Amino acid sequence: EDQVTQSPEALRLQEGESSSLNCSYTVSGLRGLFWYRQDPGKGPEFLFTLYSAGEEKEKERLKATLTKKESFLHITAPKPEDSATYLCAVHPGGGSQGNLIFGKGTKLSVKP
Amino acid sequence: DAGVIQSPRHEVTEMGQEVTLRCKPISGHNSLFWYRQTMMRGLELLIYFNNNVPIDDSGMPEDRFSAKMPNASFSTLKIQPSEPRDSAVYFCASSLSTGYGYTFGSGTRLTVV
């Protein structure tokens, strides 16, 4: 069964304290791995897509990496405005072609 | 670009009543998705359309749920009759095609009392 697990469930950081969020997955063939940011009361906002092991993408203080079993979202010197829930999703190769399978997210809080 | 537009933003209804949620996808996007988000289960796909045709509705919980996409710019998700366990945030998303990053709407928070 295709599955996505994110850890930790919640993470509290001080401003400037770098850390990483983990997304581990088991899928029958990976077409793509997606990272989203979700603010309270809003829909998820697309951040990155990764397609193959070894690929990396960067945006401001965020960098996403991908291996054959997991992805990391590295946050360098975070600011309070980075506080949000970060969702990981996979697009499996088999089964329903359109179904993005989401993890339950990591809630990040950055204190000034 | 106004993004994906959902209405209403909030809906409170009594058990047994019919509820209709609406979605306008981004112009030019040919895939549309309905998701439901709860604390317990996270984001779950209910149904998705490609070129206005329903492709996979295996996530629709029961016959009480139905979805339509009469044209490329409009979709509805209907629950009839509604039950308290249907309370959740319902998101609509669209994309150029399956496998691309989806653009989500702001969601409809449904409360069934």
Side-chain angles (χ1 to χ4, degrees):
Chain A
E1 181 184 348
D2 299 328
Q3 196 168 353
V4 179
T5 303
Q6 290 188 247
S7 62
E9 289 185 14
L11 181 63
R12 295 186 136 199
L13 299 174
Q14 288 296 126
E15 183 172 3
E17 180 187 1
S18 301
S19 188
S20 296
L21 281 54
N22 177 263
C23 170
S24 63
Y25 61 90
T26 54
V27 293
S28 51
L30 180 71
R31 293 189 176 204
L33 185 140
F34 300 78
W35 282 98
Y36 286 83
R37 169 190 171 128
Q38 186 173 22
D39 292 296
K42 295 188 176 181
E45 177 186 350
F46 172 73
L47 293 173
F48 304 111
T49 308
L50 301 166
Y51 291 104
S52 57
E55 189 175 357
E56 298 183 353
K57 294 271 181 74
E58 284 191 67
K59 180 179 179 180
E60 296 181 357
R61 295 177 292 283
L62 301 177
K63 183 168 83 172
T65 62
L66 180 65
T67 73
K68 289 186 177 180
K69 294 292 185 184
E70 59 191 348
S71 175
F72 292 94
L73 185 65
H74 307 280
I75 303 176
T76 302
K79 298 181 177 181
E81 53 261 43
D82 295 322
S83 298
T85 296
Y86 290 86
L87 297 167
C88 170
V90 296
H91 185 201
S96 173
Q97 292 189 7
N99 192 5
L100 281 193
I101 300 170
F102 281 83
K104 292 188 177 180
T106 293
K107 186 175 182 179
L108 174 65
S109 299
V110 182
K111 303 299 182 184
Chain B
D1 188 348
V4 176
I5 300 172
Q6 291 187 246
S7 65
R9 286 297 313 274
H10 303 274
E11 178 79 39
V12 181
T13 190
E14 291 185 347
M15 183 173 62
Q17 295 298 305
E18 177 179 299
V19 175
T20 299
L21 312 180
R22 297 172 177 79
C23 174
K24 177 179 169 55
I26 291 175
S27 177
H29 283 190
N30 58 16
S31 295
L32 182 139
F33 309 83
W34 282 101
Y35 278 86
R36 178 171 68 176
Q37 187 174 41
T38 61
M39 289 292 292
M40 288 293 294
R41 302 174 68 89
L43 269 169
E44 300 175 288
L45 179 70
L46 299 176
I47 185 171
Y48 85 93
F49 296 83
N50 201 34
N51 294 320
N52 312 337
V53 176
I55 302 300
D56 182 359
D57 65 354
S58 59
M60 298 285 261
E62 347 180 338
D63 291 345
R64 298 184 296 106
F65 286 69
S66 62
K68 293 181 179 180
M69 191 165 186
N71 57 62
S73 59
F74 185 65
S75 177
T76 59
L77 178 68
K78 185 177 294 185
I79 308 173
Q80 164 65 18
S82 57
E83 297 182 2
R85 60 191 167 124
D86 301 330
S87 297
V89 181
Y90 290 80
F91 287 104
C92 175
S94 70
S95 74
L96 284 171
S97 181
T98 58
Y100 286 84
Y102 300 173
T103 302
F104 283 79
S106 297
T108 295
R109 180 173 294 276
L110 173 65
T111 304
V112 183
V113 298

